[in-house]
Amino acid sequence: MALAINWKLIFASLLVLELCYQATSRSLQDASMTVRHEQWMTQFGRVYKDDIEQAKRFNIFKGNVEYIDSVNNAGTRTYELDVNKFADLTNEEFRATRNGYKQAPFPRSCKATFMYENVSAIPSSMDWRTKGAVTPVKDQGQCGCCWAFSAVAATEGINQLTTGKLVSLSEQELVDCDRSGIDQGCMGGLMDNAFNFIINNHGLTTESNYPYLGVDGTCNKNKESNAAAIISGCEDVPENSESSLLKAVANQPISVAIDASGQDFQFYKKGIFTGSCGTGLDHGVTAVGYGTAADGSKYWLVKNSWGTSWGEKGYIRMQRDVAAKEGLCGIAMEPSYPTAIKC
């Protein structure tokens, strides 16, 4: 009987030790995570209004970091994630402030004609950055006007190809002044509509003349009247065709819409993105090239508008030539581009 009691005592002692070990381990992990959060706050200049908000953000940060670490440690993806400036946001908060593409009604508002339909000479790779047709990466901030940044980047591209001059154009002009139909500034919009606004407005002014503020404002007619770039029209790339999109991107930067709602997109760091995503288009970006990685993986080179601390200095490489006709994340569903004035 005494022996049985001793075993019980031993088991009880071991259980207590295990619980103490687990508690200590959790405390050390929390302490380590607290240090990571504080370092992250310093890195990105994050300041919270009070202790309650900081505690809330810490818990969100902790969950996101644990997910990011688990993905990277598994090493099973063709890309890596990063504890970036969005790490203290839930995915819902992130999508609400950083996306803003409104899926196009049909028929779409640009012409259905496709000038590159019969193009046959397509380079094996293209990077419009190296050809001087892409301005530096910009940051839309917490304004859901990705549509404006996408349309402006495509317009900057065709303007450079037409005039030989790379000019940074004004997204804020679109945010403030393009209120036609679906385009509603920071509440979202559509690139096709933005192109039509630029056409009807007889051009778009420069970034320096009408600088970006990241909030909805009142249209400044004086600044708006000083056009720096004009376009003659816009065309829609045939939908659900990566081969048609390839022809277009081989000739100029192209506005594309994608489903950027997933956690992996939120925390993308580098590599060829092959993540899980659907076709619920919610973000406007710009395809500025394409290529093939050393391992043979084909990709689209996409310019984003979340600043240079996200992704590959503001860019993402997305898998190209996938089985789905819509392309990865719907990239081939609703591409469009501005056309140049014919001299």
Side-chain angles (χ1 to χ4, degrees), residues 41-229:
M41 288 172 61
T42 299
Q43 179 183 356
F44 292 103
R46 190 75 86 251
V47 177
Y48 301 113
K49 63 181 181 180
D50 52 37
D51 291 343
I52 295 175
E53 178 68 14
Q54 179 156 336
K56 174 185 176 181
R57 292 297 155 191
F58 170 76
N59 286 328
I60 295 170
F61 177 86
K62 178 182 177 183
N64 285 335
V65 170
E66 288 172 349
Y67 173 75
I68 292 165
D69 287 349
S70 68
V71 168
N72 290 341
N73 291 337
T76 57
R77 289 169 167 80
T78 57
Y79 55 92
E80 293 181 22
L81 304 184
D82 185 30
V83 183
N84 61 25
K85 63 182 178 181
F86 306 129
D88 70 341
L89 299 176
T90 66
N91 185 249
E92 291 75 16
E93 291 172 329
F94 167 76
R95 288 186 281 115
T97 59
R98 294 290 169 165
N99 298 349
Y101 179 82
K102 295 183 178 180
Q103 198 153 356
F106 289 93
R108 295 167 66 190
S109 59
C110 287
K111 292 181 180 179
T113 54
F114 181 45
M115 68 168 63
Y116 301 122
E117 182 65 45
N118 297 319
V119 169
S120 57
I122 300 175
S124 59
S125 64
M126 176 59 67
D127 185 343
W128 286 110
R129 298 175 301 182
T130 65
K131 297 181 180 297
V134 183
T135 59
V137 169
K138 304 177 184 182
D139 192 343
Q140 69 187 73
Q142 296 186 45
C143 172
C145 62
C146 57
W147 59 276
F149 281 83
S150 173
V152 164
T155 303
E156 289 168 342
I158 195 63
N159 184 60
Q160 191 278 336
L161 292 173
T162 304
T163 67
K165 298 178 181 179
L166 182 62
V167 180
S168 183
L169 301 174
S170 174
E171 292 83 11
Q172 192 67 43
E173 181 178 353
L174 289 175
V175 171
D176 290 353
C177 305
D178 177 12
R179 295 294 175 147
S180 57
I182 202 170
D183 292 353
Q184 294 297 320
C186 292
M187 297 301 292
L190 180 64
M191 286 83 82
D192 279 25
N193 286 17
F195 293 140
N196 279 298
F197 170 84
I198 297 170
I199 295 163
N200 295 330
N201 198 53
H202 307 294
L204 197 64
T205 193
T206 64
E207 177 81 25
S208 59
N209 184 52
Y210 204 145
Y212 185 66
L213 301 176
V215 294
D216 288 320
T218 302
C219 184
N220 188 321
K221 294 293 184 181
N222 293 327
K223 292 182 177 180
E224 183 192 25
S225 63
N226 188 12

